[in-house]
Amino acid sequence: MKRILLALLAVVVIVLMYYLFVRSFEYEVNFRATTTPGDVIETIRLWNRSIPGSQITEVDSFSRLNQTIVWKGRNYSFNWNFDFVN
């Protein structure tokens, strides 16, 4: 019985350490679009202009875009990654 509790505690500690220190995101969303990454990046830029307190901090060609939004006193960081499939 003591071994089972110790093993369960070890699993809980490992999962908690992964959740708090290894995982770098809070939410991850994946989707496919039938367009090029450049079109999606331009759409994000247009959307960014309509949100007060938003800023695009980095654009890496057609593969990555980083965006920060300040909403109701909280900072949100969006890391957009694009993969060209076909």
Side-chain angles (χ1 to χ4, degrees), residues 51-69:
I51 301 172
S54 65
Q55 177 181 359
I56 293 178
T57 56
E58 181 182 356
V59 178
D60 181 21
S61 186
F62 292 113
S63 62
R64 214 175 84 207
L65 181 136
N66 293 335
Q67 179 185 30
T68 58
I69 298 175

Side-chain angles (χ1 to χ4, degrees), residues 19-53:
Y19 182 77
L20 293 176
F21 300 111
V22 176
R23 201 176 102 179
S24 64
F25 53 87
E26 195 168 324
Y27 297 102
E28 180 177 347
V29 178
N30 296 313
F31 59 91
R32 290 181 184 253
T34 56
T35 186
T36 63
D39 290 339
V40 177
I41 289 173
E42 190 59 33
T43 303
I44 293 170
R45 285 183 175 173
L46 290 171
W47 175 59
N48 187 63
R49 291 182 197 148
S50 67
I51 301 172

Side-chain angles (χ1 to χ4, degrees), residues 66-81:
N66 293 335
Q67 179 185 30
T68 58
I69 298 175
V70 178
W71 184 260
K72 296 185 180 180
R74 297 189 71 185
N75 292 333
Y76 296 94
S77 177
F78 293 92
N79 300 317
W80 301 84
N81 296 309

